[in-house]
Amino acid sequence: MKLQPLNDRLLVKRLESEEKTAGGLYIPDTAKEKPSKGQVVAAGPGKIDDNGNRVALTVKKGDMVLFNKYAGTEVKLDGVDHLVLREDDVLAIIED
């Protein structure tokens, strides 16, 4: 299934969280927090400003991003969990 976000929205695939702690203990699924990092799978064309001009997004497809813990709407595409969120919910772009 293909999904194309509209306006200033992004489709983000969450990265898997750590399976064990720094001390080597395994974390059960019930105790794991949802990761707040992900990779942008698709991006909308941008927001329209007050003058009717389209403002392009800073975030683009393929970027690794850090976002608010409770941001966005969860969507399941082809059995994989994704988030649809606004560019405003992105806190930072992670650079390697």
Side-chain angles (χ1 to χ4, degrees), residues 16-74:
E16 295 298 320
S17 60
E18 292 294 321
E19 295 280 324
K20 57 183 175 174
T21 64
L25 298 174
Y26 284 94
I27 303 171
D29 289 337
T30 55
K32 287 183 188 175
E33 288 189 20
K34 290 184 179 179
S36 57
K37 290 194 297 187
Q39 182 174 22
V40 178
V41 177
K47 190 187 298 187
I48 297 178
D49 66 8
D50 295 336
N51 298 327
N53 300 321
R54 188 165 301 271
V55 179
L57 299 177
T58 305
V59 180
K60 62 188 178 305
K61 182 179 177 179
D63 283 349
M64 300 297 285
V65 294
L66 183 66
F67 50 86
N68 289 325
K69 186 184 259 188
Y70 301 106
T73 303
E74 293 185 2

